[in-house]
Amino acid sequence: MKGRFTRSMAGVAVSALLMAHAPLSAADATGPSDADLVGDAASTGDVLTYGLGPQGQRFSPLAKVNDGNVAKLVPAFAASLGGEKQRGQESQPLVYDGTIYVTGSYSRLYAFDARTGEQKWKYEARLPDGIMPCCDVVNRGAAIHGDKIIFATLDARIVALNRNTGKVVWNKQIADYQAGYSATAAPLIVKGMVITGNSGGEFGIVGAVEARDVNTGELIWHRPVIEGNMGTLRGKDNGMTGKLNASWEGDQWKTGGGATWLGGTYDPETNLIFFGTGNPAPWNSHLRKGDNLYTASTLAIDPDTGVIKWHYQTTPHDGWDFDGVNEFIPFDATIGGKPMKLGAKADRNGYFFVLDRTNGKFISASKFVMQTTWAGGFNKNGRPNYIEAGRPGAAQGTEKGSTVFSSPSFLGGKNWMPMAFSKDTGLFYIPSNDWGMDIWNEPIAYKKGAAYLGAGFTIKPIAEDHIGALRAMDPKTGKIIWEYKNKAPLWGGVLTTGGNLVFTGTPEGYLKAFDAKTGKELWKFQTGSGVVGSPITWEQDGEQFIAVMSGWGGAVPLWGGDMAELTKQVSQGGSFWAFKLPKR
Ligand code: CA
Ligand code: CA
């Protein structure tokens, strides 16, 4: 382990020398600009951002593949990630100028030819032995800017590579992996800055969002998301987050959790970055009084300064690992005759939230799963109507506390997998799961680098016929318009298109297409392993391509108990699949 770490440091030093002595030529530096990234949703010839646009709507106007012909979709090519490291492939590919960039398990990044699938180069991060990813060795995608392709690694670092050669340009530490930090989210690029969060919510870390210069990796601002911690801007203090001890007792804010592990979205219209924050630490809520801000929240952050402009907490005083980290997607709609700039989030806690994205004002919370045992809806101020019997009891001395049945389970009504919003139908398509858990509290004390839960659990089904459910949600009414039930838990992202289509993958190995208006299944293809990646689409040489990563893994096989049994026959994998219509 020591040897590997030393070699990795030597690699950093060499690339620093190259940078100092061989400045990039103008030609090398060409590539997607900030404006190209902002315009990504409309430019159909490329996929430049995680979410098909900085707002993360995952909507493409392309309609060559549509509800009338999708049944004829066939594979165009596939590409294997190879190696023995076939684990959960939760990545969303990027496509630019004839190249596909895709990240793989164990912090790997690949460049494939976008017409043939042939590999151009690959980069494998040298990971130290002591990394502590909670929920499989996944990576969710890269970011592209100029001549660079940038991704986060499991040892809580961020690496920029030359996108033509795969050579390291810079490599920076986000946080200390030995304290439990890691990184798996796709970076967000805004105004020449790489914006990242951190992972490690099960280890008593402090969640943070930070911005770096895309050309050098130098830190611009750092914003901890737990009240009491100090933010910085260009090396100087830039105000405390919240107010010391306003929602935390004693020193608990120093180990308060709130991991920002899913990355963020950016809304150019309001110039706000939106990040979700994860569970407070420890899980055992009796050990930390108060609302524990800003855990289990959505934060709006000024990208120019790193200052929090507004917050909305979806699970105050979370006691179930509801971990409200889910993506917040800006959208516009007319409500009560008034055109509004809104945003939506389908939370692990089972509720779909609509907020005014200009100020964080609560508009509505609608249940999108079968059952929520912890709260009976939300009041007009956006506070949950708690069901006290739904909270697991306090531990007594060294004895565990009383067990309660809770639904959703801690794996959530929806976990990491991103939903999509169709500009055509006005609906959100939510990859959700119906399941519960027995949960109890236990005594726990913080120890650096050790799990900090103070809780135990057993996941249980709540329906005979399904766990997964892809649901179409009308954000104006909070009504479910249609649902597709899947036997195994859904764990992949969603794409919707101008062809009246919705695409998502299943653990059983299928990429499926549905009618966006009715939910009717129109096409499926068996990829050979479970699909937990996020599909994309782009146009190339006059044809529309649909693509997705295949490779079963993620949190379900590790933590899902009986649910993991449901998928134990699924083979592991690591392949990129591209589809198109046959040529006439
Ligand atoms: Ca684009
Ligand atoms: Ca968590």
Side-chain angles (χ1 to χ4, degrees):
M1 170 223 165
K2 205 163 194 176
R4 268 195 278 169
F5 188 66
T6 308
R7 278 204 303 281
S8 136
M9 293 314 287
V12 174
V14 168
S15 65
L17 274 173
L18 286 175
M19 276 181 70
H21 294 287
L24 298 166
S25 71
D28 289 338
T30 59
S33 64
D34 288 339
D36 292 334
L37 302 187
V38 165
D40 186 31
S43 59
T44 52
D46 55 33
V47 178
L48 303 177
T49 54
Y50 183 77
L52 283 81
Q55 294 181 323
Q57 291 181 339
R58 297 182 184 276
F59 172 78
S60 169
L62 285 173
K64 284 186 177 169
V65 176
N66 55 54
D67 51 2
N69 61 22
V70 69
K72 297 180 186 145
L73 210 57
V74 291
F77 59 86
S80 172
L81 302 192
E84 293 167 4
K85 298 168 173 176
Q86 307 276 39
R87 298 292 300 243
Q89 308 298 353
E90 293 185 354
S91 180
Q92 182 220 291
L94 300 178
V95 184
Y96 178 71
D97 193 24
T99 305
I100 292 159
Y101 300 95
V102 64
T103 62
S105 52
Y106 287 101
S107 307
R108 296 174 293 167
L109 178 53
Y110 296 77
F112 296 118
D113 186 295
R115 289 182 175 82
T116 64
E118 280 179 45
Q119 193 179 105
K120 294 186 169 183
W121 55 259
K122 71 174 168 183
Y123 171 82
E124 303 196 31
R126 298 183 191 95
L127 298 170
D129 285 342
I131 55 169
M132 286 176 252
C134 76
C135 306
D136 206 358
V137 287
V138 300
N139 186 281
R140 303 198 169 99
I144 189 169
H145 188 277
D147 63 343
K148 294 177 195 66
I149 187 97
I150 299 158
F151 82 125
T153 56
L154 287 162
D155 52 350
R157 301 188 70 90
I158 178 144
V159 183
L161 307 175
N162 179 291
R163 66 176 177 79
N164 298 308
T165 64
K167 296 281 183 294
V168 175
V169 180
W170 53 260
N171 180 334
K172 299 284 181 183
Q173 183 183 47
I174 297 173
D176 177 10
Y177 75 86
Q178 291 178 316
Y181 287 92
S182 56
T184 53
L188 170 71
I189 296 186
V190 176
K191 300 179 176 182
M193 294 180 288
V194 186
I195 317 280
T196 54
N198 59 29
S199 305
E202 273 56 61
F203 297 93
I205 56 92
V206 173
V209 180
E210 59 185 34
R212 292 172 185 278
D213 184 313
V214 72
N215 290 313
T216 64
E218 290 308 313
L219 186 66
I220 296 172
W221 54 257
H222 176 87
R223 173 53 55 191
V225 302
I226 301 295
E227 278 203 323
N229 290 280
M230 183 63 72
T232 63
L233 174 64
R234 299 189 189 280
K236 297 199 175 93
D237 282 356
N238 191 34
M240 184 182 281
T241 297
K243 193 166 160 251
L244 184 64
N245 290 136
S247 64
W248 293 90
E249 285 195 327
D251 282 346
Q252 294 186 326
W253 54 275
K254 293 179 179 171
T255 52
T260 49
W261 57 266
L262 198 46
T265 53
Y266 170 60
D267 178 34
E269 293 174 36
T270 55
N271 189 37
L272 291 172
I273 295 170
F274 303 110
F275 263 73
T277 63
N279 59 285
W283 285 18
N284 182 340
S285 62
H286 298 278
L287 300 179
R288 44 170 172 78
K289 288 207 175 103
D291 279 355
N292 310 132
L293 292 168
Y294 297 111
T295 64
S297 300
T298 293
L299 304 182
I301 299 174
D302 179 347
D304 301 311
T305 62
V307 167
I308 296 172
K309 304 302 265 188
W310 57 255
H311 75 275
Y312 173 72
Q313 192 174 37
T314 46
T315 312
H317 199 223
D318 179 8
W320 307 264
D321 188 29
F322 283 154
D323 197 320
V325 77
N326 309 80
E327 71 282 5
F328 182 77
I329 301 183
F331 73 107
D332 297 338
T334 300
I335 291 188
K338 195 178 151 203
M340 294 188 76
K341 288 189 189 304
L342 303 167
K345 170 189 188 181
D347 199 282
R348 285 233 315 239
N349 71 19
Y351 287 90
F352 177 87
F353 295 89
V354 177
L355 307 178
D356 180 333
R357 75 177 185 271
T358 66
N359 56 21
K361 193 172 162 284
F362 174 80
I363 305 286
S364 62
S366 311
K367 195 168 80 164
F368 66 90
V369 292
M370 276 174 57
Q371 189 183 25
T372 57
T373 57
W374 66 281
F378 280 65
N379 70 22
K380 65 178 178 9
N381 300 318
R383 292 280 297 189
N385 302 315
Y386 276 113
I387 299 166
E388 279 310 320
R391 184 180 293 271
Q396 305 294 333
T398 57
E399 298 291 305
K400 70 177 202 175
S402 58
T403 299
V404 301
F405 175 76
S406 171
S407 181
S409 78
F410 78 95
L411 287 174
K414 171 181 167 299
N415 200 285
W416 79 275
M417 52 282 194
M419 61 183 180
F421 171 73
S422 168
K423 285 194 158 95
D424 289 346
T425 64
L427 302 176
F428 279 87
Y429 300 99
I430 309 172
S432 68
N433 288 307
D434 293 318
W435 47 15
M437 63 179 169
D438 285 338
I439 181 169
W440 61 90
N441 287 317
E442 295 168 351
I444 185 83
Y446 174 77
K447 186 165 165 271
K448 183 187 169 184
Y452 190 40
L453 302 188
F457 50 81
T458 308
I459 298 217
K460 294 181 159 180
I462 57 172
E464 296 266 315
D465 60 341
H466 76 284
I467 294 162
L470 177 65
R471 292 185 163 116
M473 161 69 75
D474 184 341
K476 292 181 177 184
T477 62
K479 295 223 157 59
I480 304 290
I481 305 302
W482 58 258
E483 66 180 2
Y484 156 79
K485 291 177 180 173
N486 198 71
K487 191 163 169 43
L490 291 179
W491 211 255
V494 181
L495 167 74
T496 181
T497 73
N500 188 38
L501 294 174
V502 177
F503 291 89
T504 200
T506 71
E508 292 89 341
Y510 292 100
L511 178 64
K512 294 192 170 194
F514 302 90
D515 183 307
K517 292 197 190 85
T518 66
K520 186 183 175 206
E521 187 178 315
L522 300 174
W523 172 83
K524 67 177 177 181
F525 180 85
Q526 173 57 248
T527 63
S529 180
V531 177
V532 293
S534 298
I536 59 165
T537 187
W538 76 101
E539 195 171 28
Q540 180 175 283
D541 307 327
E543 295 178 289
Q544 183 183 353
F545 288 73
I546 314 282
V548 76
M549 286 301 300
S550 169
W552 175 234
V556 173
L558 294 174
W559 298 109
D562 290 349
M563 306 310 106
E565 289 295 301
L566 268 181
T567 56
K568 72 173 188 221
Q569 80 288 358
V570 177
S571 294
Q572 291 189 285
S575 293
F576 172 92
W577 282 93
F579 304 90
K580 68 182 189 71
L581 294 171
K583 283 219 163 109
R584 266 175 249 206

